[in-house]
Amino acid sequence: MTGELERLRRRYQDHAPGLLGASRSYAVLCPLIEGEDGLRFLFEVRSSQVSQGGEVCFPGGRMEPGETPQACALRETEEELSIPREEVTLLGTPDFICNQRGFLLRPVLGLVSQAGLAALRPSPAEVAEVFTVPLAFFRETPPDLRRYELVPQVPEDFPYGPVGVPRDYPWSRGQVEIPIWYYQSHVVWGMTARLVREIVR
């Protein structure tokens, strides 16, 4: 095997599908707890001291070099909510979201034990509050669906001639669908709601 072939083999033999081209990867734990009314999602409300303060989310953050989505999700959950990682039973990995801003969001589904729930202590620097919502609510309540267009902005100096396409080339447009759920005083929307929708389906 030539040196170039060997470099290609090393680069791709253990490559995780979906990571190519993404500049950043994040992982979140989608925490479930068992309640009297069945399974419930555990959500956070971001502290005003962090980006997107006041928004509803799952615990998580940026993956460190060499870190798996599972390890990142458990680490971030322990940092944000003080739930020990050994009190979370990992159930699997739903589909990731590739965001148009160039990052991947890797969800990890996990069941938090009663001992883990008892240990819950939100970090004030990152979490304003926590709350739970029955899975049944999301199954039985259709989301408010909103959409926005992704419109290509082609630079004026694009090399149409060398590429071999006319200046009126029909560039593809895109669309992003945003599910929104209203639960009591909280709003679950955006990528968090997309993950919820994927799981409850």
Side-chain angles (χ1 to χ4, degrees), residues 29 70 73-75 77-78 82-90 111-117 119:
L29 181 71
Q70 293 87 342
L74 291 174
R75 173 180 57 78
T77 299
E78 197 161 17
S82 298
I83 296 175
R85 61 192 71 200
E86 59 269 16
E87 297 300 335
V88 180
T89 301
L90 297 182
L111 178 67
V112 178
S113 71
Q114 289 303 308
L117 196 57

Side-chain angles (χ1 to χ4, degrees), residues 136-166:
F137 167 80
F138 294 106
R139 286 201 187 98
E140 297 164 4
T141 309
D144 176 10
L145 291 177
R146 303 299 171 115
R147 296 171 179 85
Y148 65 88
E149 297 291 326
L150 297 175
V151 181
Q153 299 287 331
V154 185
E156 284 297 320
D157 62 350
F158 185 82
Y160 290 96
V163 170
V165 297

Side-chain angles (χ1 to χ4, degrees), residues 8-66:
L8 287 169
R9 185 190 65 79
R10 283 199 309 268
R11 169 69 177 90
Y12 290 107
Q13 67 180 352
D14 297 318
H15 176 69
L19 292 179
L20 186 64
S23 59
R24 294 159 292 157
S25 290
Y26 296 81
V28 296
L29 181 71
C30 305
L32 297 172
I33 62 170
E34 292 183 297
E36 293 182 1
D37 55 354
L39 290 174
R40 301 176 73 95
F41 277 116
L42 175 66
F43 293 100
E44 299 178 352
V45 177
R46 293 178 188 271
S47 162
S48 60
Q49 302 174 51
V50 299
S51 63
Q52 299 171 307
E55 290 190 9
V56 171
C57 66
F58 288 128
R62 190 166 184 168
M63 291 171 58
E64 296 178 352

